[in-house]
Amino acid sequence: MFKRRDRLPIGRAIWQAIWPRGGWARAAVYVKHRLRRLPDTPRKISRGIMAGVFTTFTPFYGLHFIVAAVVAFVLRGNIMAALLGTFFGNPLTYVPIGVVSLNLGHWILGTQPAATMDENIFDKFAGAGQDLFWNSWYAITGQTVDWHATFVFWHDVFFPWLIGGIIPGIFTGIAAYTISLPLIEAYQRRRRGAIKKKLDEIRRKAAARAAEKKAADARRAADGGH
């Protein structure tokens, strides 16, 4: 029931994943409104946002929602806020995130990318994916497999990215928490004030109608007494 009536062509679907309809500005506004409407305390929502932002610095692409939910659960944050927080990772931010995380990770580990593999990061992702898909099948059938591309991916990309993404992920997550907490608190106070004002107005009108009805009943009673 939640599927599109007319399926998008594959090319258009990929393009919309990179550049949403209406642009990333509209997507950011959507995320902002969804965060504002979450029924939870500001601290739990902010911890969820922190978990989601931190997750974008990990190399678990395709699993960010799951990782963000787990981190939010551990931090006792709002899981939906964590899922929305992963929108911090998008085609506009993945390149700087990858560059910072990989370089920092190699520096911490004291390693360098393998010089024998003249590939970029996308080729290494693709090579590891092919290894996991085809080699797993070949291994099941008893054939000899070569896991060299997976080894290179682990050594050059995944493990350095995992280690190097921790520090900037923590700092960026804390910054997101620090910024979002007062904003959410202010919004919820304003929203509670607006709701209270509306309820007071409803009560005032109800009291006025009750007073008018009581006065009308009293007049009818007085008229019937004459």
Side-chain angles (χ1 to χ4, degrees):
M1 62 182 292
F2 297 105
K3 294 182 179 179
R4 292 179 58 94
R5 181 174 300 175
D6 300 322
R7 296 187 62 180
L8 288 175
I10 295 177
R12 187 176 175 188
I14 295 174
W15 173 248
Q16 286 195 5
I18 298 174
W19 191 266
R21 182 184 299 176
W24 281 103
R26 184 176 178 181
V29 171
Y30 167 78
V31 172
K32 180 182 70 174
H33 286 308
R34 287 301 303 268
L35 286 171
R36 285 178 171 180
R37 288 173 171 79
L38 290 177
D40 214 334
T41 65
R43 291 190 180 276
K44 291 190 70 174
I45 295 173
S46 298
R47 285 199 294 267
I49 296 172
M50 177 172 62
V53 172
F54 169 79
T55 300
T56 62
F57 284 81
T58 67
F60 297 102
Y61 290 100
L63 300 174
H64 275 173
F65 276 6
I66 297 175
V67 175
V70 172
V71 175
F73 178 79
V74 172
L75 297 178
R76 296 185 179 181
N78 185 282
I79 292 179
M80 181 57 68
L83 302 185
L84 293 171
T86 60
F87 278 86
F88 179 80
N90 57 72
L92 302 178
T93 59
Y94 277 143
V95 171
I97 287 174
V99 170
V100 171
S101 299
L102 276 173
N103 288 331
L104 183 59
H106 278 295
W107 180 78
I108 292 174
L109 296 171
T111 58
Q112 292 291 332
T116 57
M117 294 292 290
D118 185 16
E119 298 174 334
N120 59 38
I121 186 173
F122 301 106
D123 293 331
K124 291 172 183 177
F125 265 103
Q130 290 177 1
D131 266 9
L132 292 175
F133 181 79
W134 292 111
N135 287 359
S136 297
W137 171 256
Y138 293 149
I140 292 174
T141 59
Q143 300 182 46
T144 302
V145 295
D146 180 9
W147 296 98
H148 183 65
T150 301
F151 173 79
V152 171
F153 173 75
W154 171 268
H155 180 271
D156 284 5
V157 180
F158 188 87
F159 190 61
W161 193 320
L162 182 64
I163 298 301
I166 293 175
I167 296 176
I170 290 175
F171 277 101
T172 308
I174 292 174
Y177 176 88
T178 304
I179 294 171
S180 62
L181 179 60
L183 295 177
I184 295 172
E185 287 177 337
Y187 173 79
Q188 290 192 353
R189 281 196 301 267
R190 188 166 62 250
R191 190 164 183 260
R192 285 195 298 268
I195 293 174
K196 183 178 182 299
K197 183 178 179 181
K198 186 177 292 186
L199 289 175
D200 290 342
E201 182 65 18
I202 292 173
R203 293 192 186 100
R204 186 188 66 78
K205 291 181 179 180
R209 286 195 297 269
E212 290 177 0
K213 184 176 182 300
K214 185 176 181 180
D217 291 343
R219 285 196 297 270
R220 284 195 296 270
D223 294 340
H226 288 296

